[in-house]
Amino acid sequence: MFVTTARMFTCRDLVGNGADIKKIGELFMTLQASTTPTSLLMPWFPSPARKAGRQASTELYTMLYAYIETRRHAEPTSDPIDLMIAEGEANENIIQVSSTPRVA
């Protein structure tokens, strides 16, 4: 069994967009389903699950990156993304997704 962990700070722009929230949920489910024993034991093997996980990860990162860049060029608010930007955090530190084995 594997656990997909996501640490994500958000903003009002994202929370107010129901379609993107739904898409993010679907991408997280794809990421979780793509973490299989085969993908961990043979990370070089291009299985369908591995390809789907890589695609979902790319889509998720691209979507969230766009929101962060929008916030970087907007008037600062008290949203968590804006606070992290004000602290000088890079986009890569704001967006983090990983899958790890769960200890039973």
Side-chain angles (χ1 to χ4, degrees):
M1 181 62 83
F2 301 91
V3 176
T4 299
T5 303
R7 293 182 200 150
M8 188 174 104
F9 292 94
T10 192
C11 61
R12 289 179 195 116
D13 300 343
L14 175 57
V15 173
N17 188 330
D20 280 353
I21 294 293
K22 181 179 179 184
K23 180 68 176 174
I24 287 170
E26 292 168 357
L27 292 171
F28 277 125
M29 292 306 293
T30 301
L31 281 171
Q32 188 168 6
S34 71
T35 307
T36 63
T38 302
S39 70
L40 290 175
L41 294 173
M42 297 183 287
W44 48 266
F45 184 71
S47 69
R50 185 92 170 150
K51 290 178 185 178
R54 187 165 295 184
Q55 178 66 28
S57 180
T58 301
E59 284 183 50
L60 181 61
Y61 185 87
T62 302
M63 179 185 290
L64 296 175
Y65 190 94
Y67 275 100
I68 293 169
E69 283 301 307
T70 298
R71 294 307 316 150
R72 282 192 188 281
H73 299 94
E75 186 69 29
T77 67
S78 60
D79 288 344
I81 285 178
D82 289 340
L83 297 175
M84 292 195 71
I85 290 169
E87 289 294 318
E89 290 293 338
N91 293 359
E92 295 78 21
N93 291 334
I94 297 172
I95 307 168
Q96 296 181 14
V97 179
S98 66
S99 296
T100 56
R102 183 187 332 193
V103 178

